[in-house]
Amino acid sequence: MIDALGQPQCVLVIGGGSDIAAAAVDRWVDLRTDTVILAGRNFKEMETVQSKLQAHSSVKVEIAYLDLTDHSSIEPFVDDAFDRFPDIDLVLLAAGQLGDQAEDEISPSRVEAMFDTNATGTAITLTAVANRLRRLGSGAIVVLSSVAGERVRRSNYVYGSTKAALDGFSLGLADSLSGSGVRLVLIRPGFVKTKMTTHLANAPLATTPDRVADDIVAALAKNRLLTWSPGAMRWVMLVYKHLPRSIARKLPF
Amino acid sequence: MTDSNDFGHAITDSGQPVVISGWGRSPYSSSTRIDFGDTPGRYRPETLARYISALPPSNRIIARGLGRSYGDASLCAGGRFVSPDDLSQTFDFDPATLRLRVSAGVSLDEIMRRLIPSGYFVPVTPGTRYVTIGGAIAADIHGKNHHKDGSFAQHVTRMQLVTASGSEELTPADELFWATAGGLGMTGIITEATIQMRRIPTSYMKVTTERTPDLEETIVRMSSKDEQFQYSVAWIDCLATGSSLGRSVITWADHAEVADLGRKQMRDPFGYSPRTRLTAPDMAPSWLLNRASIKIFNEAWYRKAPVHAETTETIPGYFHPLDGVADWNRLYGKPGFLQYQFQIPFGAESVLRHIIERLSGARASSFLAVLKRFGPGSPGPLSFPAPGWTLALDIPINDPRIASLLDGLDYLVAGAGGRVYLAKDSRVAKDLIPVMYPGLTEWAEIAQRADPEYRFISDLGRRLELRKLPEPKASLLGTLATRNRRGPN
Ligand SMILES: Cc1cc2nc3c(=O)[nH]c(=O)nc-3n(C[C@H](O)[C@H](O)[C@H](O)COP(=O)(O)OP(=O)(O)OC[C@H]3O[C@@H](n4cnc5c(N)ncnc54)[C@H](O)[C@@H]3O)c2cc1C
């Protein structure tokens, strides 16, 4: 059961190889978590996370295969996970592809793949997860969105628009969960230095997985629906959202 | 949803699950109230027992009182709860024996309103009168007279407990009685109890107040003077540091005799009119209670207290000052708050000091903390009071760092042979419970015999795995060491 400070005991991670997810789970394991289920496509990455977690604790870590582009497999996977671990009290949705804007924007099939994973796959997952948590009457869903979805930009509009879909879907879902005992926490990180972004130049207010993880832990403790990471990103985005399109288009990031 | 039972009437659950929380408003979960509708005999324990046994065992159930436990003790996520309104039929006082036979959903507030004007008082009252008999027994609550009179269940002569296998009358000679006292609803549903009330000479309290400059002085005064009074408590300013660390206002009290009363009071020596003066707004911003505002409050409160004074106060004024503001828990805003209450044995006063140092040094702001000396404990394996000191303080949930601060304090408490109060808890690490409550296994075995299908498990019980029967473990210390690699800080 999640406690008064938002500390979970049994965590299901969708996108189990993600650097941010790994950092967040690391913190929870340090606090109260004793069971973690990592779900994703890349076993090697998930095994790295697993051995890192188990190097310093007796946490039980399971690894499971889940491909978010295989849409019909998602609900059975979620149901199976909740059947086997009926005490799951937190689901962290960290799956997503960053893509490559230059190539994506001219390739219909790459656009399809981006939406399949980042938008359709996550929306299906959230729906299946919410159904199960509603029945349990408690628990938390943490969604890693992105400031890229807040105002979709010329420089990464394929990725950005998939995150816009996820962001809007999550906010609506959060409203629908009110009265269910289940909470949803939406995190909008800025530019995070991870293995997904090593090839990219640093953007303003660049942050790290560790700092985003700290913000996730804090958002859960305070039970806050919407968190920018770093916090200053909120004000940057507020300005940015209101820039005239003609100027925004020309900004380098 | 409708469940038909074997006596032909349908008992409907009142539709939708509702979100409930304890007094601290965090955590919360949703569950469905069991609604007995107008089932004939619905208030009979047998009806409730049959209703429960007709449910599939996977339906968890917990009895709820007035939700004054702070954390998740009265929560049953995804399950059902019994409302105190459905356990409120009986109120039967016998002045000859001073025994009150009363339904478990009846509150101490109601008992006081009905019996104080005739000169009778409850044997134990907590800091709020808005608790039910069920909650008082299930948490085996203590009052300011614990050093003299023990805990609530020690004044219960009989109770009725309902489980899926039926309804059972229990007396203090039964082990299930003592597993239910302090068992936080996880042995079944208490429907009724008989309480040994006491006679009081007036409805007023004769109060002696002393202000102390620091913790040492507080400890010395309480240790030397508590025995002279029936009631004793100290309010500590946990924001004071340095040479003022632990400065307190101690109040000792006895029930006032008629001769102690002023002329106006003498006209109606059993007058009793508890009032709620204010109601806290629902949408209080969470910054309202911050370190600065609380510090100002604590300072003013300490300065206002006399160095030494003797006064006459009303029962609500002495016992239930917070009840004057309805819904004051909302003042902490949406994230809610928690209460940290622990006990440490006599002889470990240095640990108490160390803990207060850490609390005052940390940025965890708190109103006055309450310090009290406990006398001998009750036989309940999960009953909280045990000889020693107990400190209770409210902490707003506004900073995730309080998690590690309190984890560190838990280790100090457990290491000193103490425990945290489960009725207040919403965050302790489950590994520490068997250390803090050595009777846990014994309790879990008794609970398992009473409820072999594990129906009566609260969110607290799940979070701390209280009902889990332990597998043989190699070394408990080994587990603690691996779990918390950063260790107690
Ligand atoms: C301002 C304030 C001051 C307080 N001061 C003190 C104090 O001085 N000393 C002290 O000991 N406590 C104190 N408390 C805590 C409080 O007394 C206990 O938590 C008490 O159990 C609350 O009773 P309730 O009726 O609200 O029960 P709830 O909070 O609703 O439930 C508490 C527990 O009792 C169980 N329970 C309730 N009814 C039944 C039943 N019929 N059968 C079986 N189980 C049942 C529940 O399952 C739950 O585990 C204080 C709380 C507040 C808010």
Side-chain angles (χ1 to χ4, degrees), chain B residues 23 62-70 73-74 87 104 125-128 130-132 134-136 138-143 184-185 188-191 322 328 421 423-424:
Chain B
W23 190 243
I62 207 80
R64 182 168 164 91
L66 286 169
R68 256 53 177 195
S69 51
Y70 275 70
S74 68
L87 302 168
T125 175
T128 171
Y130 299 114
V131 302
T132 62
D140 196 10
I141 60 168
H142 57 271
L184 293 168
I189 295 160
I190 307 163
T191 54
L322 291 169
W328 60 263
Y421 190 5
K424 306 276 178 87

Side-chain angles (χ1 to χ4, degrees), chain B residues 64-275:
Chain B
R64 182 168 164 91
L66 286 169
R68 256 53 177 195
S69 51
Y70 275 70
D72 42 9
S74 68
L75 273 54
C76 189
R80 290 157 204 243
F81 67 94
V82 179
S83 158
D85 298 341
D86 292 322
L87 302 168
S88 59
Q89 284 305 89
T90 310
F91 194 105
D92 183 3
F93 180 61
D94 177 6
T97 59
L98 297 181
R99 287 191 176 170
L100 171 67
R101 194 165 67 86
V102 64
S103 293
V106 172
S107 68
L108 297 194
D109 178 54
E110 181 177 347
I111 296 173
M112 290 185 208
R113 283 174 197 275
R114 287 172 75 159
L115 295 181
I116 286 177
S118 316
Y120 306 102
F121 196 53
V122 290
V124 168
T125 175
T128 171
R129 56 185 179 270
Y130 299 114
V131 302
T132 62
I133 290 295
I137 296 172
D140 196 10
I141 60 168
H142 57 271
K144 298 177 173 54
N145 56 343
H146 189 274
H147 63 292
K148 289 279 190 192
D149 300 319
S151 53
F152 195 88
Q154 291 176 289
H155 305 270
V156 174
T157 58
R158 189 201 63 95
M159 63 174 136
Q160 199 71 35
L161 186 74
V162 166
T163 62
S165 59
S167 164
E168 197 178 342
E169 181 170 299
L170 301 173
T171 71
D174 299 308
E175 62 173 10
L176 187 52
F177 179 102
W178 289 110
T180 301
L184 293 168
M186 286 178 280
T187 56
I189 295 160
I190 307 163
T191 54
E192 197 189 282
T194 302
I195 317 297
Q196 187 69 53
M197 300 288 287
R198 59 184 45 178
R199 224 185 280 280
I200 43 175
T202 70
S203 65
Y204 291 90
M205 306 301 298
K206 193 179 160 190
V207 182
T208 302
T209 304
E210 278 184 21
R211 197 169 90 174
T212 68
D214 58 26
L215 185 65
E216 271 57 51
E217 191 66 17
T218 309
I219 287 174
V220 168
R221 298 273 182 89
M222 292 182 87
S223 305
S224 62
K225 271 177 97 160
D226 269 13
E227 284 315 305
Q228 301 167 35
F229 298 91
Q230 191 174 7
Y231 301 96
S232 158
V233 72
W235 301 80
I236 289 202
D237 178 2
C238 274
L239 286 179
T241 51
S243 62
S244 301
L245 185 90
R247 66 179 182 183
S248 310
V249 174
I250 311 176
T251 58
W252 291 280
D254 287 307
H255 292 282
E257 300 292 330
V258 178
D260 298 322
L261 302 187
R263 205 179 312 150
K264 220 174 114 196
Q265 294 164 338
M266 234 178 247
R267 257 180 263 147
D268 185 10
F270 291 112
Y272 179 70
S273 48
R275 264 188 295 267

